[in-house]
Amino acid sequence: MTFRDWQSLEPAEASRELHRRVRTLPPAQQRAIIAHLPSEHDLADTFARSSSSAPLSRVPYLLKDLFDVTNVPTFAGSTFLPEVRPTPPRNSHLVDALNSAGAVFAGKTHLHEFAYGITGENPHYGDCEHPRLAGRTTGGSSSGSAAAVAAGIVPLAIGTDTGGSVRVPSAFCGLFGFRLTPGDPFISDAVSLSRTCDTAGWFTADARDLRETIAALIGLSPAPASTPRGCFLELTGLDPDVALTFRTAAADFASPADTTTRDTLLAGFAPTLDAYNTIVAHEAWQIHRPWFDRFHNRYDPFVQQRLLRASTLPADQIESAYHQLTATRDLWHSFFQTFDFLILPATPFPPLTKPDCTVENRLRLLTLTAPASLGGLPVLTLPIPLPSGFTTGLQLIIPTPRSPVIPWALSR
């Protein structure tokens, strides 16, 4: 159901339909995806209060449980966060913006614990599976949000993206995704993983719905009068079918990067994975250090290990990573003097099975997403089908969230 389909329903009917769609999920997936769900009565009241003149009137959305809703505990995929962080007395900025635009808060979604993972696994609430591909992951960390849209529970769900947490689930689940920029108001009051790289973002299953969300929340520039100038870059390490599909899909939007641009970008992107991992680890440890000793046994074991490694990072490695951050942002600034966008593959492979959620495959994913993350750039993710029936995606990287490239790309 698109935005318009939901808007055609009466409040009680919309609430009933949403609850019905949640119940169609297997019980284990209901628990893995949904962190908080208002009662059918309360949800109907929220639908009824939505202004009919607002741009997102009566559009239900689910919210990644890193953002606050008044008097609803925020767990961030953990079991203990409310014990060290009080129940929020007010909404996050993004929630207020959504509500002002007429969207209807329909609940919260689970995630990879503290957003520190890209596979959507969570030992506390269960792993999020692709709704149409049993045994395959949604990707993460915005796993519950992506699963909810892919399952048709809601037409809009909010996520975050530090190192690919909107881009990877969008690609795996065949969704449209949009990642904003670090430090903007929509991410400023969410539970943080890395202040340098955290961004807000969202998912839809429909290009028109994504365009309307962007227009309502941040504004949308008119489509350009002429074709924007972009190029695509095929990075190494892609599965053969993904490489071929990426090349074909990207060619609908742009030409391959010329030799000089390609060589400059490849050299500049090579150090970004290590720098990204170091910065995120260092900043995550600063956030978790005050309560880590007390609660270390209640962390996801893999998140616990990452934080323990982060606690011992050498100072020179941290300093070098921040130098690379500056170099990467300078590289992107130079690129955007000539081009309006760059297309990179979103994933090197189709949705993973749990045994394939390895450190090696996590690094293969981050190799593709780290350049934009370290660059602090907005990214539009466009789904593309693979011959196997799975999906991957294009990362369309742009210099600003209001780039005219967005309406141009979404109308194609």
Side-chain angles (χ1 to χ4, degrees):
M1 290 174 64
T2 66
F3 286 5
R4 280 159 181 73
D5 294 326
W6 283 98
Q7 289 166 336
S8 70
L9 302 179
E10 293 298 320
E13 185 183 9
S15 176
R16 194 161 53 245
E17 177 63 17
L18 192 145
H19 271 259
R20 185 193 69 77
R21 287 171 177 251
V22 170
R23 291 193 299 270
T24 64
L25 294 171
Q29 284 303 295
Q30 290 183 40
R31 185 170 184 269
I33 293 170
I34 304 296
H36 169 78
L37 184 68
S39 70
E40 195 171 309
H41 177 270
D42 288 346
L43 184 56
D45 282 349
T46 309
F47 272 108
R49 290 195 302 270
S50 175
S51 169
S52 60
S53 62
L56 300 180
S57 174
R58 300 192 308 282
V59 172
Y61 72 91
L62 286 169
L63 184 73
K64 186 176 184 178
D65 194 25
L66 293 176
F67 297 94
D68 289 336
V69 173
T70 303
N71 297 326
V72 177
T74 299
F75 282 87
S78 76
T79 62
F80 68 84
L81 187 61
E83 297 174 45
V84 296
R85 184 177 183 270
T87 298
R90 62 182 65 86
N91 294 332
S92 287
H93 291 306
L94 180 51
V95 175
D96 280 339
L98 284 157
N99 294 349
S100 295
V104 172
F105 170 69
K108 285 189 159 192
T109 56
H110 285 307
L111 55 140
H112 204 121
E113 187 184 65
F114 291 113
Y116 207 174
I118 205 162
T119 59
E121 298 168 283
N122 188 303
H124 313 303
Y125 305 105
D127 302 341
C128 279
E129 289 190 342
H130 193 300
R132 298 184 301 279
L133 301 169
R136 300 271 176 170
T137 181
T138 56
S141 65
S142 306
S143 45
S145 292
V149 175
I153 295 170
V154 288
L156 171 66
I158 306 304
T160 63
D161 186 315
T162 303
S165 295
V166 166
R167 288 166 282 169
V168 170
S170 294
F172 279 175
C173 293
L175 303 175
F176 294 88
F178 190 58
R179 161 198 152 99
L180 287 165
T181 54
D184 70 29
F186 286 166
I187 195 64
S188 63
D189 52 7
V191 177
S192 183
L193 177 66
S194 163
R195 292 293 182 192
T196 295
C197 297
D198 289 346
T199 71
W202 45 80
F203 305 92
T204 70
D206 180 85
R208 182 175 180 176
D209 289 350
L210 183 65
R211 179 174 175 154
E212 291 184 3
T213 306
I214 295 170
L217 294 178
I218 63 172
L220 196 64
S221 298
S226 57
T227 301
R229 187 175 183 198
C231 60
F232 69 85
L233 185 66
E234 185 177 335
L235 302 181
T236 59
L238 307 184
D239 285 2
D241 60 334
V242 173
L244 177 59
T245 300
F246 168 77
R247 197 179 306 121
T248 302
D252 287 340
F253 294 87
S255 299
D258 61 83
T259 301
T260 299
T261 300
R262 181 197 66 202
D263 292 348
T264 300
L265 291 177
L266 288 176
F269 291 167
T272 58
L273 175 60
D274 287 344
Y276 166 83
N277 279 333
T278 297
I279 289 170
V280 171
H282 170 67
E283 294 182 355
W285 175 243
Q286 302 312 307
I287 292 165
H288 288 268
R289 181 170 54 182
W291 59 72
F292 187 78
D293 284 347
R294 179 182 171 193
F295 293 103
H296 69 277
N297 285 331
R298 290 174 63 182
Y299 280 87
D300 172 345
F302 291 103
V303 173
Q304 180 197 74
Q305 290 170 18
R306 288 174 198 143
L307 290 169
L308 283 171
R309 286 195 297 270
S311 70
T312 62
L313 286 172
D316 60 341
Q317 180 179 332
I318 296 169
E319 182 180 8
S320 176
Y322 283 101
H323 283 309
Q324 182 58 48
L325 174 77
T326 300
T328 301
R329 295 189 173 182
D330 288 345
L331 173 69
W332 279 112
H333 178 77
S334 177
F335 173 83
F336 286 122
Q337 299 306 299
T338 303
F339 294 96
D340 299 307
F341 65 92
L342 176 69
I343 298 178
L344 296 180
T347 69
F349 37 63
L352 297 170
T353 62
K354 187 173 178 66
D356 288 331
C357 292
T358 61
V359 171
E360 177 188 13
N361 280 334
R362 177 177 180 270
L363 295 177
R364 289 176 67 192
L365 286 165
L366 290 171
T367 296
L368 303 182
T369 58
S373 290
L374 216 59
L377 294 168
V379 184
L380 180 67
T381 305
L382 305 176
I384 50 176
L386 292 166
S388 59
F390 299 129
T391 57
T392 182
L394 304 179
Q395 294 183 77
L396 203 151
I397 303 165
I398 49 182
T400 68
R402 295 189 181 185
S403 166
V405 171
I406 295 170
W408 171 80
L410 289 175
S411 65
R412 293 175 65 80

